Amino acid sequence: MSVLDQNYNPTLSVDCVIFGFDSKSLKILLIEQTKNIYKLPGSLVIKNEDLDVYADRVLKELTGLKNVYLKQFFTFGAPNRISKPEDILWIENNYKVKVKRIISTAYYSLIKIAPGTTKLYEKKHNAQWLNVAEINNLAFDHIEILKKGLKTLQNELKFNPAVCFELLPKNFSLREIQNIYEVIQDISYDNRNFRKKLMGAKYIIPTKEKQKAVAHKPAILYKFDKKIYDATFKETNLFNL
Amino acid sequence: MSVLDQNYNPTLSVDCVIFGFDSKSLKILLIEQTKNIYKLPGSLVIKNEDLDVYADRVLKELTGLKNVYLKQFFTFGAPNRISKPEDILWIENNYKVKVKRIISTAYYSLIKIAPGTTKLYEKKHNAQWLNVAEINNLAFDHIEILKKGLKTLQNELKFNPAVCFELLPKNFSLREIQNIYEVIQDISYDNRNFRKKLMGAKYIIPTKEKQKAVAHKPAILYKFDKKIYDATFKETNLFNL
């Protein structure tokens, strides 16, 4: 006889925490589950398919973008993680399947929000970019997944600052970098010190472009040089004080 | 009709990469699958049980230790990850179950190896501490899991150096810290500079003890102060150069 508990019937899903930045706020791409209740983009894994391949496809279908920064960060396996009657009903209606337990592998992704980039897909899936800071309720246990995704992004930024350029347009102002750091870390930095550090980073290069259509004096735009970053950035902060 | 592919029958497992340090080498606790072929400690998840709870129990049974550093790092979901006939046969014999696909959630753990600590458990499970540097073949896809676990530990050490004290005895020499850094990062550090950095870290405190039974002049032993670390360590290495 099998050692597997007969009542134990796990199903897998993949959920994606898709972060974007609109030059001021950290956003997340969400899908309407039912009226005014949002969920993360994702789905049951219903075929013999690699989790990474599957997450990549969800992202492509939703945004139309390829080669996007996508990283697995945690698998949520609490036995009772999906327990609200409306959530169970939604799954049964949408997938025509009775599920006893769903284990979800979560990915996070960083996207440059540009006008129109994801518009078609937003319409098709009824998806919306919402402010992370304003979200306090989601379907299933997705608020937990969002929180853990944000925590992971905060850590990633600490030992690999290059991730912030995944969220910025090709050319950006120094203020935009500071904004990203401030919204992701939820800290205010001293303007002058922050700017000084950025000016000292050899991989942040001034361009000949300036900001357009701004009320204040237009700032110089910069670009990120990955080659210089890879060659000069010391990622170890060995015993700093 | 269900949308789930009838041929799709996932089973879950948990595998643990348990690191230890014997003052010179980075070790890993492995179990003999068949003669001279080793595997990571772990098992199918056969009940409706949280993955974290399950991993914690595997660790406790194997080492007898409680409150050990344990962290989920990746879920391996490639469709063909278990494909060698001998591996499939081993699972069928051990679990009396036909499995089509196994998804494994991997955890890594850091343990202080002290004489006798894990002896009883090593005997019971035929487990052994082997040198990470000398392992190039394991059952299933466990060599991939080990590599990814080591990579994760390397990253962790970069932004959270406190993890190295999970591997050291309560009192340790500065040389032992350098050894840990060198074996985990696979880099040689300049002795004088490394020592200088350690001496500057306020959370590494000299004790009145010295090394015992060593051939050379016995070194002073130090201890780690977590409170000072939490208060003084700046984990952000914002745009360093």
Side-chain angles (χ1 to χ4, degrees):
Chain A
M1 213 198 101
S2 164
V3 295
L4 285 179
D5 182 338
Q6 292 306 304
N7 285 314
Y8 177 64
N9 167 31
T11 307
L12 299 169
S13 77
V14 159
D15 287 304
C16 298
V17 180
I18 304 173
F19 290 111
F21 181 73
D22 68 356
S23 94
K24 285 202 180 137
S25 313
L26 187 66
K27 305 264 190 180
I28 180 175
L29 197 58
L30 292 169
I31 288 173
E32 215 171 26
Q33 181 213 39
T34 51
K35 197 162 167 48
N36 291 328
I37 305 287
Y38 288 84
K39 67 183 276 293
L40 297 172
S43 176
L44 296 186
V45 178
I46 55 175
K47 288 183 182 163
N48 204 7
E49 189 170 47
D50 200 337
L51 300 175
D52 291 0
V53 171
Y54 187 76
D56 196 55
R57 200 174 61 232
V58 165
L59 195 62
K60 230 178 275 175
E61 282 178 8
L62 202 62
T63 64
L65 300 170
K66 289 175 195 176
N67 301 321
V68 166
Y69 188 91
L70 180 68
K71 206 166 174 181
Q72 190 195 109
F73 68 92
F74 201 75
T75 294
F76 294 80
N80 60 348
R81 56 176 288 268
I82 293 179
S83 52
K84 282 180 273 179
E86 62 271 29
D87 286 340
I88 295 169
L89 195 66
W90 188 88
I91 290 169
E92 290 182 355
N93 285 339
N94 272 270
Y95 294 101
K96 313 292 177 215
V97 66
K98 290 265 178 201
V99 288
K100 285 176 183 154
R101 180 186 184 185
I102 301 178
I103 308 260
S104 182
T105 297
Y107 287 77
Y108 80 97
S109 178
L110 305 175
I111 284 183
K112 303 176 205 295
I113 305 183
T117 314
T118 59
K119 210 164 183 175
L120 179 66
Y121 304 89
E122 285 165 42
K123 209 169 174 180
K124 189 174 155 196
H125 294 275
N126 205 16
Q128 282 196 44
W129 287 103
L130 297 177
N131 273 354
V132 171
E134 288 163 19
I135 297 164
N136 44 37
N137 185 34
L138 290 172
F140 311 108
D141 61 345
H142 287 187
I143 194 81
E144 302 309 321
I145 300 181
L146 167 57
K147 280 182 191 164
K148 186 120 187 164
L150 183 58
K151 185 80 199 152
T152 308
L153 176 58
Q154 287 169 340
N155 275 334
E156 176 87 18
L157 199 59
K158 281 173 194 160
F159 71 93
N160 179 23
V163 294
C164 77
F165 305 108
E166 301 284 345
L167 290 163
L168 287 169
K170 202 171 167 239
N171 296 341
F172 46 79
S173 68
L174 298 184
R175 181 71 234 179
E176 281 179 304
I177 301 184
Q178 187 172 342
N179 284 351
I180 283 198
Y181 264 79
E182 293 190 336
V183 297
I184 293 178
Q185 308 291 17
D186 199 17
I187 297 174
S188 282
Y189 290 97
D190 175 79
N191 284 349
R192 199 214 275 264
N193 280 346
F194 197 96
R195 211 183 156 83
K196 204 173 145 194
K197 283 198 175 185
L198 293 182
M199 302 291 275
K202 294 193 170 57
Y203 47 85
I204 299 175
I205 319 250
T207 69
K208 285 178 181 164
E209 260 189 86
K210 286 190 175 184
Q211 283 182 314
K212 279 167 198 154
V214 284
H216 52 79
K217 190 182 158 210
I220 294 172
L221 297 183
Y222 291 75
K223 62 180 182 179
F224 169 63
D225 190 312
K226 194 173 180 319
K227 273 190 194 158
I228 299 178
Y229 178 84
D230 289 342
T232 61
F233 181 69
K234 291 181 205 147
E235 45 178 350
T236 173
N237 60 3
L238 188 70
F239 293 100
N240 68 3
L241 290 166
Chain B
M1 213 197 100
S2 164
V3 296
L4 286 177
D5 184 339
Q6 293 305 307
N7 284 313
Y8 176 66
N9 168 31
T11 307
L12 299 169
S13 77
V14 159
D15 287 303
C16 298
V17 180
I18 303 173
F19 290 111
F21 181 72
D22 68 356
S23 93
K24 286 200 179 138
S25 313
L26 188 67
K27 305 264 191 180
I28 180 176
L29 196 59
L30 292 170
I31 288 173
E32 215 172 27
Q33 181 213 39
T34 51
K35 199 167 164 46
N36 292 329
I37 305 286
Y38 288 84
K39 67 183 276 294
L40 297 173
S43 174
L44 296 187
V45 178
I46 56 174
K47 286 181 183 165
N48 203 7
E49 189 171 46
D50 200 338
L51 301 175
D52 292 1
V53 172
Y54 188 76
D56 196 54
R57 200 175 62 232
V58 165
L59 195 63
K60 232 177 273 175
E61 283 177 8
L62 202 63
T63 64
L65 301 170
K66 288 174 194 176
N67 301 321
V68 167
Y69 188 92
L70 179 68
K71 207 167 172 180
Q72 191 196 108
F73 68 93
F74 201 74
T75 293
F76 294 80
N80 60 347
R81 56 177 288 269
I82 295 179
S83 51
K84 282 180 272 179
E86 62 271 29
D87 286 340
I88 294 170
L89 195 65
W90 188 89
I91 288 169
E92 291 182 354
N93 286 339
N94 272 270
Y95 293 100
K96 313 293 178 214
V97 64
K98 290 265 178 201
V99 288
K100 285 176 181 156
R101 181 187 182 183
I102 300 178
I103 311 265
S104 183
T105 297
Y107 287 78
Y108 80 97
S109 178
L110 305 175
I111 283 183
K112 304 175 205 294
I113 304 182
T117 313
T118 59
K119 210 163 184 175
L120 179 66
Y121 305 89
E122 285 165 42
K123 209 169 175 180
K124 189 174 155 196
H125 294 275
N126 205 16
Q128 284 197 43
W129 286 103
L130 296 176
N131 273 353
V132 171
E134 289 163 17
I135 297 165
N136 45 37
N137 186 33
L138 290 173
F140 311 108
D141 61 346
H142 288 188
I143 194 79
E144 302 308 321
I145 299 180
L146 168 57
K147 279 182 193 165
K148 186 120 188 166
L150 183 58
K151 185 81 198 151
T152 307
L153 176 58
Q154 288 168 341
N155 275 334
E156 177 87 17
L157 199 58
K158 281 172 196 163
F159 71 93
N160 179 23
V163 294
C164 76
F165 305 107
E166 300 284 343
L167 291 163
L168 287 169
K170 203 171 166 242
N171 294 341
F172 45 80
S173 68
L174 298 183
R175 180 71 234 177
E176 281 180 303
I177 301 184
Q178 188 173 342
N179 284 351
I180 283 200
Y181 263 79
E182 292 190 338
V183 296
I184 292 178
Q185 307 292 16
D186 199 17
I187 297 172
S188 283
Y189 289 96
D190 176 76
N191 285 349
R192 199 215 276 264
N193 279 345
F194 197 95
R195 211 181 155 82
K196 204 172 144 194
K197 283 197 176 187
L198 293 182
M199 302 290 275
K202 293 192 173 56
Y203 48 86
I204 300 175
I205 320 250
T207 69
K208 285 176 180 166
E209 261 191 83
K210 285 191 175 183
Q211 281 181 316
K212 280 168 197 152
V214 285
H216 53 80
K217 188 182 161 214
I220 295 171
L221 297 183
Y222 291 76
K223 62 180 182 177
F224 168 61
D225 189 313
K226 193 172 182 317
K227 273 190 196 158
I228 299 178
Y229 178 83
D230 288 342
T232 60
F233 181 70
K234 288 181 207 148
E235 48 179 348
T236 172
N237 59 4
L238 189 72
F239 294 100
N240 68 2
L241 288 166

